[in-house]
Amino acid sequence: MANIYVFDDEPSILLMIKKMLEKAGHSVDIALNGREGMELFKKSMPDLLITDIIMPEKEGLETIFELRSKYPKLKIIAISGGGRISPDG
């Protein structure tokens, strides 16, 4: 099966996706943000990256742009649970 990286700052979402993909037979590595995720690329090249768009430390879009320039053929799925909410509502 595939080697997949998943980046998401929400631990419950991250672990749910990891568990589902592993149940389907895939190898999954996870990171809580794009900065941590970029470290995984020093280890190996995945078949697929699933990344949240809005994350702390290094946003998903920033991560995608950087990876696209280095690995143009990398398959990427971008996900989002919603936008940022201002304190004024």
Side-chain angles (χ1 to χ4, degrees):
M1 291 290 180
N3 177 30
I4 302 171
Y5 289 172
V6 182
F7 305 168
D8 198 306
D9 62 320
E10 190 64 45
S12 61
I13 300 296
L14 191 63
L15 294 175
M16 177 190 63
I17 293 170
K18 177 179 172 53
K19 190 179 279 189
M20 287 177 11
L21 291 170
E22 287 178 338
K23 188 173 182 178
H26 302 290
S27 170
V28 181
D29 286 302
I30 58 174
L32 288 169
N33 57 58
R35 183 188 51 74
E36 285 182 14
M38 294 302 288
E39 291 295 314
L40 291 174
F41 279 84
K42 294 178 181 176
K43 183 174 85 170
S44 68
M45 180 69 170
D47 299 304
L48 173 67
L49 167 64
I50 300 172
T51 184
D52 189 9
I53 296 295
I54 301 171
M55 297 182 288
E57 305 222 15
K58 188 172 185 119
E59 292 273 344
L61 288 177
E62 180 184 357
T63 302
I64 290 169
F65 291 142
E66 183 176 337
L67 289 170
R68 274 281 173 243
S69 70
K70 293 178 181 177
Y71 312 104
K73 294 188 179 196
L74 175 64
K75 293 177 179 127
I76 300 172
I77 297 174
I79 60 175
S80 180
R84 292 205 167 114
I85 300 172
S86 70
D88 298 329

